[in-house]
Amino acid sequence: MRLDKFLTEMGLGTRSEVKKILKTKQITVNGEIVTKPETKVAPENDQISYKGEPVTYCEYEYYLFYKPAGCVTATEDQLHKTVMDYLTDTVRSDLFPVGRLDIDTEGLLLITNDGALAHDLLSPAKHVEKTYYAVIDGVVTENGVDIGEEKLTKPGKLRILKSEPESEIELTITEGRFHQVKRMFEAVGKKVLYLKRISMGPLQLTDDLKPGEYRPLTEEEITALKIVNK
Ligand code: URA
């Protein structure tokens, strides 16, 4: 792998910033000063340092983020704060959110750079369960509804927690269509007043996080995710 690519991915700066850093002779590979961006390195074996401090190699990062309302699920946006703006203490520069929550939806979002895992988690064929807690204006009983697409949505699993004066429910779905939960309720004449994702596959939104906070996944959580995707 090219040295400038490695240093950019490890979060030292953009490709051009990294090139400037290299010119300052502050990068060493196995103790030798290296200034050429195209130098080939083997991150697992080579000892790469910046200002005498090792640049630790981190192939994959996995974070559980409690998305607050008011930010968009994107890596960049001209108008709004993005979910990535909250992840200030991470290593890699190529992290992205897996799936999408609406700007006003809160809750569990996986952030990683593991593209294969993300692809599997989002694949309709894998039927990964996502559970949402919602407050609904009215009472809901219906499953498997027409949301105006040619194909009907698969039935969700619905748990009614409270029904007066507003309903509080938990709905589990395996698909991830655009505004799916809101559209399922709209289709039966109900409005979603509040929506929060509380689980995705084996991942649960745990009490240690407040909206806007994140933590690395545990080894157990990473293993469980990979098993789901087998
Ligand atoms: N369904 C929705 O309507 N919105 C979300 O953010 C997630 C699921």
Side-chain angles (χ1 to χ4, degrees):
M1 167 180 210
R2 281 175 63 120
L3 179 59
D4 58 345
K5 183 167 191 286
F6 169 81
L7 294 170
T8 300
E9 284 185 5
M10 292 314 121
L12 241 72
T14 61
R15 209 70 172 241
S16 60
E17 285 164 353
V18 161
K19 285 194 175 114
K20 283 189 195 137
I21 294 174
L22 281 161
K23 281 197 189 134
T24 67
K25 302 190 176 171
Q26 296 185 95
I27 302 286
T28 56
V29 178
N30 302 324
E32 303 286 325
I33 292 171
V34 178
T35 55
K36 288 203 175 98
E38 67 276 17
T39 307
K40 290 279 187 238
V41 290
E44 295 92 346
N45 304 321
D46 290 332
Q47 174 69 253
I48 300 158
S49 300
Y50 173 47
K51 293 187 180 170
E53 295 291 324
V55 181
T56 317
Y57 180 52
C58 170
E59 190 177 11
Y60 292 115
E61 284 185 285
Y62 303 90
Y63 295 101
L64 199 152
F65 176 51
Y66 188 159
K67 180 194 175 295
C71 61
V72 291
T73 312
T75 50
E76 277 174 39
D77 194 273
Q78 302 292 323
L79 283 182
H80 302 99
K81 200 165 172 165
T82 76
V83 292
M84 301 314 293
D85 292 334
Y86 288 86
L87 279 89
T88 50
D89 198 13
T90 57
V91 177
R92 297 201 53 113
S93 58
D94 53 356
L95 297 169
F96 61 88
V98 178
R100 188 176 170 281
L101 293 177
D102 299 335
I103 188 162
D104 57 343
T105 302
E106 298 184 5
L108 186 155
L109 198 61
L110 172 64
I111 312 272
T112 185
N113 63 312
D114 187 338
L117 182 89
H119 176 267
D120 281 353
L121 279 171
L122 298 176
S123 156
K126 299 278 179 179
H127 308 292
V128 175
E129 290 193 337
K130 282 144 293 222
T131 300
Y132 295 85
Y133 163 84
V135 179
I136 311 291
D137 195 7
V139 182
V140 190
T141 53
E142 214 121 341
N143 279 343
V145 293
D146 181 350
I147 59 171
E149 289 182 13
E150 206 173 302
K151 233 171 117 194
L152 295 187
T153 70
K154 295 215 178 74
K157 276 186 250 163
L158 182 70
R159 245 182 89 204
I160 296 164
L161 308 171
K162 189 174 156 234
S163 52
E164 299 260 348
E166 291 153 348
S167 299
E168 286 178 36
I169 62 98
E170 275 179 20
L171 177 70
T172 301
I173 54 175
T174 56
E175 299 168 289
R177 301 203 208 172
F178 188 58
H179 298 323
Q180 182 163 343
V181 175
K182 290 174 190 159
R183 288 163 73 201
M184 284 173 87
F185 286 112
E186 264 164 30
V188 290
K190 313 287 180 208
K191 189 166 161 46
V192 174
L193 302 174
Y194 172 80
L195 187 60
K196 171 164 86 170
R197 181 153 67 192
I198 54 175
S199 74
M200 182 166 86
L203 301 180
Q204 305 277 341
L205 192 63
T206 41
D207 291 340
D208 54 332
L209 293 179
K210 294 190 190 67
E213 293 183 344
Y214 65 99
R215 63 164 173 83
L217 292 193
T218 62
E219 283 303 321
E220 290 76 19
E221 286 171 326
I222 297 170
T223 308
L225 270 183
K226 290 184 176 167
I227 291 170
V228 167
N229 286 326
K230 278 261 157 67

